[in-house]
Amino acid sequence: MGMRPYSPGKPIDEVKRELGLSDVIKLASNENPIGPSPKAVEAIKQAASGINIYPDAAAHDLREAIAKKHGVSPDQVVVGNGSDELIHYLGLVLLEGDETELVMGDPSFVRYIASAQLSDARLTKVPLDNTWTHDIPAMIGACTDKTRLIYLANPNNPTGTVVGKTGVEQLIDDTPEDALLVLDEAYYEFGTEHPDFPDSVELLKQGKPICILRTLSKAYGLAGIRVGYGIAPVEVIDAINRIREPFNVNVLAQAAAIAALDDQEHLDHTVRLNREGITRVEEKCRAMGLKTVQSYANFICIDCNRPGEEVFNELVKRGVIVRSGHVLGMPTHIRVTIGTENEMTQFLNAFETVMAVTA
């Protein structure tokens, strides 16, 4: 009862009903605006006739595909109903009561908080630095002999900022012996545009005690069927598998994920359009005298110099749904998912109008 339910982006149909609008766009949940790979859609069609049969509980073929893509053993891979499920499992495995502790940046992904709360563990939130990036020395300093989990979202949600290779290696080297560092790379495919983005899989292959989380909900466009995966030492994977729900990734999701991982052209197209969209927003905000947070994700945060909730509400009235920074720990910001070219035009026109009205 002390926990807050997860607050998703406001649904399009709800806004249409509430405000009597017919043209509404949603730029709030960091989904892929061009949709999934056609190969993934075809794989779903092919698999649909088999949904009367339980899925492969071990997700053998999917784990093999992930392992091959990253050059690791399938025994180092676990899949989940989104990476959120794996975050939950890591809490169950490593946290137990207030003699254990989870360390995270603030603001960062809210499901880390839930993981600590569900295990009655201590939660230490370390404020981001003045560029909205994880403060690595402060995170290291916050660790104690009770620390069992450290989360580094890289790129970070909700800010889109990146910790470079040196910072990640420093955090790895100074992680307490009894703790596991989790590199949550949900936005990895966009983050690699950063010139110093760390190669986490290579660090794992070198024997570094880390767990890497990734998802197919973002760049791969499979948010509606939920597939995430973890790559970690065999001991960590084994522990998760002991508590993992059976059949946690369904038949259609497994088939779609295998096909999506094989469509590099679709992925490259997604990343390219996203960078063009971020550049467009940055240029418009500079022209308006507004600051943005440098983002290497598929969203961008804009400092509106006024309560973000006000701007959010005014945009909704004009049929544009974004995320208010009020619920993200960034009270004067809004977070905007990068949409299609037409969607970004609609957002920027509405945003300029709103900023003029609320000035």
Side-chain angles (χ1 to χ4, degrees):
M1 293 306 296
M3 296 175 65
R4 294 182 179 181
Y6 178 73
S7 176
K10 203 171 180 69
I12 289 176
D13 288 343
E14 182 181 329
V15 172
K16 287 181 176 180
R17 286 193 303 269
E18 288 179 356
L19 301 178
L21 298 174
S22 58
D23 183 16
V24 176
I25 60 170
K26 181 184 176 185
L27 302 174
S29 297
N30 307 336
E31 296 145 335
N32 187 326
I34 65 173
S37 160
K39 292 183 179 180
V41 174
E42 183 59 33
I44 290 172
K45 292 177 181 178
Q46 294 295 323
S49 62
I51 61 172
N52 59 309
I53 305 297
Y54 284 112
D56 174 8
H60 175 275
D61 291 349
L62 176 54
R63 289 190 304 108
E64 287 276 354
I66 294 167
K68 181 178 179 181
K69 184 176 182 67
H70 297 296
V72 298
S73 165
D75 292 339
Q76 293 178 280
V77 178
V78 64
V79 297
N81 184 34
S83 54
D84 296 37
E85 183 182 36
L86 301 178
I87 291 168
H88 174 57
Y89 290 154
L90 285 166
L92 294 180
V93 167
L94 290 163
L95 301 175
E96 185 178 8
D98 63 5
E99 289 303 304
T100 57
E101 174 187 52
L102 184 152
V103 175
M104 61 176 285
D106 184 36
S108 194
F109 189 41
V110 296
R111 299 311 294 173
Y112 310 151
I113 300 172
S115 179
Q117 290 174 320
L118 288 168
S119 300
D120 289 327
R122 294 172 54 178
L123 175 65
T124 298
K125 296 195 234 180
V126 180
L128 304 184
D129 67 19
N130 59 9
T131 67
W132 296 102
T133 305
H134 282 87
D135 187 333
I136 298 302
M139 290 186 72
I140 293 169
C143 292
T144 70
D145 60 358
K146 298 180 186 295
T147 305
R148 297 294 178 270
L149 269 176
I150 305 169
Y151 272 98
L152 180 70
N154 204 31
N156 187 40
N157 181 12
T159 63
T161 50
V162 162
V163 174
K165 181 180 179 182
T166 300
V168 168
E169 290 182 343
Q170 180 185 1
L171 185 55
I172 291 173
D173 290 342
D174 290 325
T175 292
E177 185 176 351
D178 292 333
L180 178 67
L181 172 62
V182 182
L183 300 177
D184 185 353
E185 297 181 341
Y187 299 92
Y188 166 80
E189 293 78 13
F190 307 105
T192 54
E193 293 187 311
H194 189 283
D196 190 37
F197 197 81
D199 186 341
S200 56
V201 174
E202 182 58 34
L203 292 170
L204 180 66
K205 291 176 183 177
Q206 292 172 9
K208 304 295 186 182
I210 58 176
C211 175
I212 303 159
L213 297 182
R214 293 190 184 166
T215 182
L216 280 81
S217 292
K218 308 303 180 186
Y220 288 98
L222 301 185
I225 54 174
R226 311 295 291 127
V227 186
Y229 63 92
I231 308 174
V234 172
E235 296 83 0
V236 175
I237 301 300
D238 176 67
I240 293 174
N241 279 328
R242 291 173 184 270
I243 62 168
R244 180 173 57 83
E245 294 288 342
F247 314 118
N248 61 324
V249 179
N250 69 67
V251 170
L252 304 183
Q254 290 189 35
I258 293 169
L261 288 168
D262 191 44
D263 194 344
Q264 188 64 39
E265 183 180 353
H266 182 268
L267 179 62
D268 291 343
H269 182 51
T270 294
V271 172
R272 183 172 62 253
L273 289 180
N274 182 75
R275 179 47 54 189
E276 291 172 358
I278 284 182
T279 299
R280 188 177 174 193
V281 174
E282 289 173 336
E283 291 174 350
K284 183 67 172 180
C285 287
R286 276 197 297 270
M288 295 172 64
L290 298 174
K291 292 182 179 180
T292 57
V293 180
Q294 188 172 31
S295 176
Y296 288 91
N298 65 342
F299 56 81
I300 187 167
C301 290
I302 303 171
D303 189 347
C304 301
N305 293 327
R306 67 205 66 177
E309 187 77 0
E310 287 182 11
V311 178
F312 164 80
N313 288 329
E314 290 298 321
L315 285 170
V316 169
K317 293 175 185 177
R318 291 161 176 80
V320 178
I321 308 169
V322 297
R323 284 284 259 173
S324 167
H326 171 72
V327 297
L328 302 174
M330 307 174 75
T332 65
H333 291 71
I334 58 171
R335 191 192 69 187
V336 184
T337 301
I338 303 303
T340 64
E341 183 177 356
N342 288 339
E343 287 173 336
M344 297 315 293
T345 296
Q346 188 171 340
F347 159 70
L348 290 171
N349 289 341
F351 181 60
E352 189 169 24
T353 300
V354 165
M355 294 305 291
V357 169
T358 60

